[in-house]
């Protein structure tokens, strides 16, 4: 019996399944195509402008251009800080077939060290091949000439020039002008914080010290830019737009470079400083700190070894002694103390006191405070106390006034505060008060602390600039003016008018003091230089002009009760500082000079001769010019 065959495949079912799958796939394709078309429509139509902008941003770059830095001149038009071209040897790697052979060839004509080659190789590995990489910087004229003759042998190698800051007077002006140097991370953070970083995108250097730092915004200028079209590798194809940078303003200082150089030579590397002010507006005619250093080394990057040598130098050349050096002002403050004592009626113009050579706190068993003249000055009035610098007279004044009134008055003269000088490197020094001692030493103020303050010793310290400013207050009879370096600015070759006195920072004047009291202080200072017993009479003997001054001898350490000071028997760094401040001519002052010489000894014997020479240099030269 034959069995009926069983059908293995159902062709109709397979056909139906295929049809349904084909329909689903087709629908899926249609849906996906619809989504793709919709997305293309959204990109090409709806978001066209956004993607066009993004494309242009990738294709068009904005390249910042650094402005030329403003120049700095002295009051007579002498250039103090300039921009000089600096030549560097640079290589474009993609144009050099054999780099090792090229470097070896360059070493045959120029001195290129292995360290410089190593730095070059590291730099070119980080840089795109079409960009130039420096291999040698600061080429001199001879090196440029040597390479130029054989440049045809070195395709891809060229000498490029850029402007770098240069200070033609070197160490004479370092503590005034300062210097510029490479922008570091700290500078970048500060620029970001001040929202100035965009203006420094193409700038490599920034003011680090002195005038360069204080007037950075004025000297730097405004960056320009150019819009360029680049390819996918970042190579510039063409320039689309160019906006030139706006150079920084040139500035004119009150400084007289000839006077600055003269004083620099007078100090001859000795530790000390000198400040010269124009008493009419307190313009700084000279500000010398000695010893100094050459700022040009910092412009190109000073080596660690050279910087360590400066940092560890026992003479501290990095410190601007004129504004950062703090010393006991010593007897230079006696004219100011006299004005305060007269106005407070602690003494009168007719007060006469006997000086036996020492002074003791009344009803006290403490040791006596000695006068600099062991046997004393005899009968002393207020003018003689300045002329002969009688310490005991001012011990009594200090005792009668007390520290509260002394500190109040001396702060009005500018002690214990910034002078307002237009550089950042300045110290307040210290005008002691009760609160200061409690905060600093955790002990109350004692009566014995007040007595040495009366002669500018004890806890009292001051900078040479503060002493010069206080002297100007006496000269100007109570008018308090900030010392300042900036005289005028220049933009586009046109000089602005000089700064008026109203533009200079001023402080509340010392009001209410009788004219007679200012006259007494000035007369006492005149007798210091020209009186029969004036402490500086030998230094100002037979000057053809009348001047006024006040010497000071600041103790570095205290003496025991029975000890005597002998400079020959103590270490140099423990010897007294010599101070002198004065002005001339007395009838119409042209200059105020304050000098501090560290560990030089007496102010009248060592500081006064320096001041005399400065007076002569300015006043007698001016008189000769008038003939």
């Amino acid at each position: 019996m034959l069995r009926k065959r069983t059908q293995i495949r159902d062709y109709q079912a397979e056909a139906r399944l295929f049809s349904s799958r084909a329909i689903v796939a087709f629908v899926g394709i249609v849906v996906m195509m619809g989504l793709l078309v919709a997305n293309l429509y959204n990109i090409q139509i709806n978001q066209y402008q956004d993607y066009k902008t993004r494309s242009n941003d990738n294709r068009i770059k904005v390249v910042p251009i650094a402005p030329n830095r403003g120049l700095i001149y002295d009051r007579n038009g002498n250039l103090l800080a300039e921009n000089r071209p600096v030549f560097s040897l640079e290589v474009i790697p993609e144009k050099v077939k054999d780099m090792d052979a090229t470097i070896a060839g360059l070493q045959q004509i120029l001195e290129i060290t292995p360290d410089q080659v190593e730095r070059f190789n590291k730099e070119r590995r980080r840089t795109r091949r079409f960009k130039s990489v420096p291999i040698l910087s600061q080429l001199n004229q001879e090196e440029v000439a040597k390479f130029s003759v054989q440049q045809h042998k070195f395709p891809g190698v060229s000498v490029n020039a850029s402007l770098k800051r240069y200070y033609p007077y070197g160490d004479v002006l370092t503590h005034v002008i300062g210097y510029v140097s490479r922008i570091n991370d700290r500078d970048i953070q500060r620029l970001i914080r001040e929202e100035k970083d965009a203006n420094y995108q193409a700038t490599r250097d920034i003011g680090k010290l002195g005038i360069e730092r204080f007037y950075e915004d004025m000297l730097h200028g405004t960056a320009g830019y150019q819009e360029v079209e680049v390819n996918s590798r970042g190579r510039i194809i063409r320039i689309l737009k160019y906006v030139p940078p706006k150079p920084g303003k040139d500035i004119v200082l009150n400084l007289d470079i000839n006077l600055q150089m003269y004083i620099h030579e007078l100090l001859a590397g000795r530790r000390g400083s000198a400040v010269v002010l124009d008493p009419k507006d307190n313009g700084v005619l000279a500000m010398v700190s000695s010893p100094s250093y050459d700022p040009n080394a910092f412009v190109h990057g000073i080596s660690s070894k050279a910087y360590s040598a400066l940092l560890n130098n026992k003479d501290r050349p990095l410190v601007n002694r004129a504004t950062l050096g703090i010393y006991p002002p010593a007897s230079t403050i006696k004219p100011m103390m006299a004005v305060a004592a007269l106005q407070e009626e602690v003494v009168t113009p007719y007060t006469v006191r006997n000086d036996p050579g020492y002074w003791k706190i009344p009803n006290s068993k403490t040791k006596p405070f000695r006068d600099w003249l062991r046997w004393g000055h005899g009968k002393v009035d207020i003018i003689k106390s300045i002329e002969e610098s009688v310490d005991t007279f001012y011990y009594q004044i200090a005792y009668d006034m007390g520290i509260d009134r002394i500190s109040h008055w001396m702060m009005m003269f500018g002690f214990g505060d910034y002078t307002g000088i237009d550089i950042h490197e300045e110290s307040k020094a210290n005008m002691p008060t009760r609160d200061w001692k409690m905060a600093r030493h955790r002990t109350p103020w004692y009566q014995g602390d007040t007595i040495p303050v009366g002669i500018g010793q004890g806890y009292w310290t001051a900078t040479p600039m503060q002493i010069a400013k206080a002297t100007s207050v006496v000269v100007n009879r109570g008018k308090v003016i900030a010392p300042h370096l900036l005289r005028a600015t220049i933009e586009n070759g046109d000089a602005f008018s000089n700064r008026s006195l109203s533009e200079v920072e001023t402080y509340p004047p010392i009001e209410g003091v009788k004219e007679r009291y200012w006259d007494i202080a000035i007369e006492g200072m005149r007798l210091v230089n020209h009186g029969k017993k004036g402490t500086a009479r030998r230094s100002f003997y037979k000057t053809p002009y009348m001047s006024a001054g006040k010497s000071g001898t600041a103790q570095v350490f205290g003496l025991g009760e029975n000890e005597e000071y002998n400079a020959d028997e103590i270490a140099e760094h423990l010897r007294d500082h010599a101070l002198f401040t004065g002005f001339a001519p007395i009838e119409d002052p042209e200059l105020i000079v304050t000098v501090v010489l560290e560990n030089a000894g007496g102010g009248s014997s060592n500081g006064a001769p320096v001041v005399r020479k400065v007076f002569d240099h300015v006043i007698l030269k001016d008189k000769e010019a008038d003939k």
Side-chain angles (χ1 to χ4, degrees):
M1 177 177 176
L2 295 174
R3 293 183 178 181
K4 186 178 179 180
R5 283 185 175 181
T6 302
Q7 189 173 3
I8 298 174
R9 300 177 62 182
D10 188 343
Y11 293 101
Q12 292 182 348
E14 289 181 355
R16 287 195 299 274
L17 180 62
F18 175 79
S19 298
S20 62
R21 288 180 174 177
I23 292 171
V24 171
F26 179 75
V27 172
I29 291 171
V30 171
V31 171
M32 295 297 291
M33 288 294 295
L35 291 174
L36 179 61
V37 170
N39 192 43
L40 287 173
Y41 178 85
N42 184 52
I43 291 173
Q44 295 290 335
I45 305 299
N46 295 339
Q47 300 184 36
Y48 168 76
Q49 196 61 43
D50 292 341
Y51 282 99
K52 180 183 177 182
T53 301
R54 291 186 187 182
S55 175
N56 284 337
D57 286 346
N58 291 330
R59 181 176 63 89
I60 299 172
K61 297 291 184 183
V62 176
V63 180
I65 305 171
N68 290 337
R69 194 170 182 85
L71 307 179
I72 303 175
Y73 297 89
D74 82 337
R75 67 192 296 119
N76 299 314
N78 297 302
L79 193 57
L80 307 180
E82 58 181 300
N83 302 319
R84 285 189 175 182
V86 175
F87 300 97
S88 60
L89 189 68
E90 299 185 5
V91 180
I92 300 177
E94 73 171 7
K95 294 184 178 181
V96 178
K97 294 181 179 179
D98 189 339
M99 186 63 71
D100 293 336
T102 298
I103 292 175
L106 290 172
Q107 288 177 319
Q108 296 296 318
I109 59 175
L110 298 172
E111 186 177 343
I112 303 176
T113 66
D115 289 341
Q116 291 171 326
V117 173
E118 184 179 354
R119 283 198 297 269
F120 166 75
N121 287 328
K122 287 181 180 179
E123 184 67 24
R124 73 185 178 95
R125 282 193 285 269
R126 296 196 300 262
T127 307
R128 294 188 176 184
R129 287 182 53 79
F130 60 82
K131 290 189 175 181
S132 63
V133 180
I135 186 173
L136 195 62
S137 60
Q138 299 184 56
L139 275 70
N140 56 39
Q141 296 292 336
E142 182 181 351
E143 290 172 325
V144 171
K146 283 183 179 179
F147 173 77
S148 299
V149 171
Q150 303 189 50
Q151 184 173 2
H152 64 281
K153 299 179 181 178
F154 302 98
V157 184
S158 62
V159 172
N160 294 330
S162 61
L163 292 178
K164 275 283 189 180
R165 203 60 152 179
Y166 180 73
Y167 304 101
Y169 294 97
D171 62 350
V172 175
L173 287 168
T174 303
H175 294 106
V176 182
I177 302 297
Y179 57 82
V180 300
S181 190
R182 178 79 62 158
I183 294 177
N184 56 32
D185 293 338
R186 185 183 301 174
D187 297 321
I188 293 173
Q189 293 301 318
R190 178 175 59 82
L191 291 170
I192 292 173
R193 193 165 55 249
E194 297 173 359
E195 299 182 352
K196 298 176 182 176
D197 53 307
N199 198 33
Y200 282 80
Q201 292 296 318
T203 303
R204 295 183 178 182
D205 298 326
I206 193 170
K208 298 283 188 175
L209 203 70
I211 287 293
E212 293 278 27
R213 179 186 173 197
F214 194 90
Y215 291 110
E216 169 65 28
D217 292 345
M218 189 183 296
L219 290 166
H220 177 262
T222 305
Y225 67 91
Q226 57 182 4
E227 290 183 0
V228 296
E229 185 177 357
V230 298
N231 61 17
S232 59
R233 298 182 62 188
R235 186 193 299 275
I236 295 176
I237 299 173
R238 61 185 175 125
I239 297 174
L240 303 176
K241 184 179 180 181
Y242 175 76
V243 176
K246 184 178 180 181
K249 295 178 182 177
D250 298 341
I251 65 176
V252 180
L253 303 183
N254 282 303
L255 283 177
D256 182 334
I257 186 57
N258 294 320
L259 179 60
Q260 180 86 6
M261 292 176 65
Y262 178 76
I263 298 174
H264 181 79
E265 293 172 1
L266 278 181
L267 297 186
R270 290 186 290 176
R271 296 188 306 275
S273 63
V275 174
V276 183
L277 302 181
D278 180 348
K280 294 178 178 61
D281 64 354
N282 273 10
V284 181
L285 303 178
M287 186 174 75
V288 178
S289 177
S290 177
S292 186
Y293 59 96
D294 188 354
N296 291 299
F298 286 84
V299 176
H300 298 284
I302 190 170
S303 67
S304 298
K305 182 178 179 181
Y307 182 70
S308 295
L310 287 173
L311 195 62
N312 298 320
N313 190 320
K314 63 182 179 62
D315 291 332
R316 301 185 303 159
L318 293 173
V319 176
N320 181 1
R321 286 171 159 84
T323 56
L324 290 173
I326 54 176
Y327 315 89
S331 296
T332 60
I333 52 81
K334 287 177 179 173
M336 301 88 186
M337 287 289 294
V339 171
L342 287 165
Q343 186 64 22
E344 290 289 334
E345 298 183 350
V346 169
V347 295
T348 72
Y350 309 104
T351 299
V352 176
R353 290 174 177 156
N354 182 55
D355 170 32
Y358 63 90
W359 182 91
K360 291 188 67 174
I361 296 176
N363 303 317
S364 171
K365 294 182 180 180
T366 58
K367 68 178 183 178
F369 292 86
R370 296 182 296 182
D371 191 273
W372 68 269
L373 190 62
R374 183 187 302 176
W375 49 86
H377 299 264
K379 300 295 182 181
V380 179
D381 63 7
I382 189 72
I383 292 179
K384 185 177 179 180
S385 74
I386 299 173
E387 176 188 1
E388 300 183 30
S389 197
V390 182
D391 292 338
T392 57
F393 198 90
Y394 291 90
Y395 292 148
Q396 184 68 49
I397 285 177
Y399 176 79
D400 292 336
M401 286 188 68
I403 189 59
D404 298 325
R405 286 195 288 180
I406 291 174
S407 60
H408 171 72
W409 270 93
M410 293 305 105
M411 285 178 180
M412 287 196 290
F413 278 94
F415 292 105
D417 197 4
Y418 298 119
T419 63
I421 182 78
D422 40 354
I423 57 174
H424 291 295
E425 301 77 39
E426 186 181 18
S427 171
K428 286 184 176 181
N430 183 51
M431 186 65 239
T433 62
R434 296 178 189 276
D435 293 339
W436 168 84
K437 189 184 178 189
M438 181 58 71
R440 178 68 180 272
H441 297 285
R442 305 298 181 191
T443 57
W445 187 270
Y446 299 113
Q447 196 172 51
D449 297 329
T450 306
I451 309 307
V453 172
I455 61 166
Q457 295 281 173
Y459 294 118
W460 190 354
T461 59
T463 66
M465 187 63 72
Q466 286 177 333
I467 298 171
K469 179 183 176 182
T471 305
S472 79
V473 176
V474 175
V475 174
N476 290 301
R477 299 170 181 268
K479 185 181 292 185
V480 186
I481 309 169
H484 57 283
L485 289 157
L486 183 64
R487 181 179 178 86
T489 56
I490 304 173
E491 189 173 17
N492 298 325
D494 299 324
F496 287 16
S497 60
N498 293 344
R499 297 174 78 191
S500 64
L501 195 56
S502 62
E503 296 178 279
V504 178
E505 185 177 359
T506 57
Y507 297 84
I510 301 176
E511 297 178 330
V513 177
K514 296 179 180 178
E515 282 293 311
R516 184 183 180 188
Y517 297 162
W518 295 116
D519 291 338
I520 287 172
I522 292 172
E523 175 62 12
M525 294 180 73
R526 183 189 71 81
L527 292 174
V528 167
N529 291 359
H530 304 286
K532 292 181 179 180
K533 294 186 178 180
T535 55
R537 64 189 183 279
R538 291 184 178 88
S539 297
F540 292 90
Y541 182 64
K542 287 188 177 181
T543 55
Y545 54 87
M546 296 297 290
S547 63
K550 187 67 196 76
S551 60
T553 303
Q555 290 183 353
V556 176
F557 74 104
L559 292 171
E561 185 172 356
N562 298 315
E563 291 181 315
E564 292 186 8
Y565 177 82
N566 188 335
D568 296 331
E569 296 180 358
I570 60 175
E572 182 186 3
H573 69 280
L574 296 177
R575 296 173 187 170
D576 294 341
H577 300 318
L579 295 84
F580 197 90
T581 187
F583 58 93
I586 198 167
E587 62 276 3
D588 184 20
E590 295 179 23
L591 70 164
I592 294 169
V593 182
T594 299
V595 169
V596 177
L597 300 176
E598 293 182 9
N599 310 118
S604 57
S605 56
N606 296 284
V610 176
V611 174
R612 162 71 188 273
K613 290 178 180 177
V614 176
F615 284 168
D616 287 351
H617 179 80
V618 174
I619 296 172
L620 299 185
K621 183 182 69 174
D622 289 348
K623 287 185 176 179
E624 291 175 2
D626 293 338
K627 290 180 180 179

